[in-house]
């Protein structure tokens, strides 16, 4: 009587491609060779058997995860193949802190950031424009007249190039433009060396600073709205001098 003992080779390790998914997604892994009965595990040794066919669909993943697959042909088990599901983290978007600007000096300098993404795009709830363009994270935004009148606008930064877009919003508040009044023109007699000022600043500001196109001085100082201006000899010789009041906050 005769019996035949057939020696089968150890199968080669399965062929499986690594894959990349977005955080919160699932992946379907497919073993394409060499056939047989596949076994998928969550650890190289002592792991849990997850599936026994050529494909395996992962649960929802939030972090990169390795899986291990082997196959059995004629009772012979192959080496394992490690396949990694790389999970791309969600983008982190920061449009910047909210800003308050004066209505008459309202260009806004932006400083947005996008992490885990290729870049971002700005949009607004108003009619203003972005310079040099809406894809520059450090663009400048010039608001339209309507949003200054309303008193605020929202600027939204949205990520792109990495899974689901993520947005962040900053609010720009416009304060009323300052109203500055240097006072009425004054006429003084030759020989008088001082002019009593009576400026006012209201609206979006409450303080100001005096400057002169002459060479005189201010007392108590140039930030006192009702300061005294002391004419210089050159001011007197010139016959007139312009005093300028500028808002400062």
């Amino acid at each position: 009587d005769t019996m035949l003992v057939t020696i089968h080779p150890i199968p080669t390790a399965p062929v499986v491609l690594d894959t990349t998914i977005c955080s919160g997604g699932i992946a379907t892994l497919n073993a394409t060779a060499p056939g047989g009965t596949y076994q998928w595990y969550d650890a190289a040794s002592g792991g849990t058997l997850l599936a026994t066919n050529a494909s395996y669909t992962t649960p929802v993943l939030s972090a990169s995860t390795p899986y291990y697959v082997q196959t059995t042909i004629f009772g012979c088990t192959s080496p394992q193949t490690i396949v990694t599901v790389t999970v791309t983290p969600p983008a982190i978007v920061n449009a910047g802190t909210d800003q308050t600007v004066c209505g008459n000096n309202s260009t806004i300098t932006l400083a947005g950031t996008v992490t885990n993404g290729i870049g971002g795009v700005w949009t607004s709830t108003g009619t203003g424009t972005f310079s040099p363009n809406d894809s520059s994270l450090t663009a400048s935004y010039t608001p339209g007249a309507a949003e200054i009148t309303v008193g605020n606008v929202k600027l939204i930064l949205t990520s792109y190039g990495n899974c689901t877009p993520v947005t962040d919003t900053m609010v720009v508040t416009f304060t009323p433009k300052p109203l500055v009044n240097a006072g009425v023109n004054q006429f003084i007699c030759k020989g008088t060396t001082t002019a009593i000022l009576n400026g006012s600043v209201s609206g979006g500001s409450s303080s100001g600073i005096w400057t002169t196109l002459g060479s005189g001085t201010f007392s108590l100082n140039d930030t006192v709205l009702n300061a005294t201006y002391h004419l210089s000899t050159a001011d007197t010789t010139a016959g007139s001098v312009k005093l300028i009041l500028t808002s400062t906050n």
Side-chain angles (χ1 to χ4, degrees):
D1 186 32
T2 301
M3 68 173 290
L4 178 66
V5 177
T6 301
I7 301 173
H8 293 284
I10 299 297
T12 58
V15 176
V16 189
L17 298 178
D18 292 338
T19 189
T20 299
I21 63 172
C22 297
S23 179
I26 63 174
T28 298
L29 308 175
N30 295 291
T32 58
T37 301
Y38 294 95
Q39 300 97 37
W40 297 85
Y41 292 92
D42 59 5
S45 177
T48 300
L49 179 63
L50 303 173
T52 56
N53 45 38
S55 66
Y56 169 66
T57 299
T58 70
V60 172
L61 298 176
S62 59
S64 297
T65 304
Y67 293 94
Y68 305 83
V69 60
Q70 63 194 38
T71 188
T72 300
I73 302 176
F74 296 116
C76 300
T77 300
S78 72
Q80 288 183 334
T81 294
I82 302 174
V83 55
T84 300
V85 179
T86 300
V87 175
T88 302
I92 301 171
V93 178
N94 186 351
T97 57
D98 295 344
Q99 295 189 35
T100 299
V101 297
C102 292
N104 66 327
N105 186 24
S106 54
T107 297
I108 299 114
T109 300
L110 304 174
T113 59
V114 176
T115 306
N116 301 331
I118 293 176
V121 175
W122 290 101
T123 54
S124 84
T125 57
T127 58
T129 57
F130 295 93
S131 177
N133 54 62
D134 58 6
S135 297
S136 173
L137 297 180
T138 56
S140 295
Y141 180 75
T142 302
E147 25 199 302
I148 295 176
T149 300
V150 170
N152 62 77
V153 65
K154 292 181 179 179
L155 304 181
I156 303 118
L157 180 59
T158 303
S159 67
Y160 66 84
N162 180 23
C163 301
T164 303
V166 176
T167 65
D168 188 43
T169 300
M170 68 175 292
V171 177
V172 179
T173 301
F174 303 104
T175 59
K177 64 181 181 180
L179 301 175
V180 178
N181 186 346
V184 297
N185 294 335
Q186 295 187 31
F187 298 89
I188 61 176
C189 296
K190 189 173 182 177
T192 301
T193 59
T194 60
I196 307 301
L197 307 178
N198 189 26
S200 65
V201 179
S202 59
S205 178
S206 59
S207 63
I209 187 169
W210 289 100
T211 54
T212 175
L213 297 184
S215 53
T217 59
F218 297 92
S219 64
L220 302 165
N221 57 60
D222 56 6
T223 60
V224 176
L225 296 181
N226 59 349
T228 298
Y229 180 71
H230 300 268
L231 286 82
S232 67
T233 301
D235 293 343
T236 302
T237 300
S240 66
V241 64
K242 288 185 178 179
L243 305 181
I244 303 160
L245 179 60
T246 303
S247 64
T248 55
N249 66 3

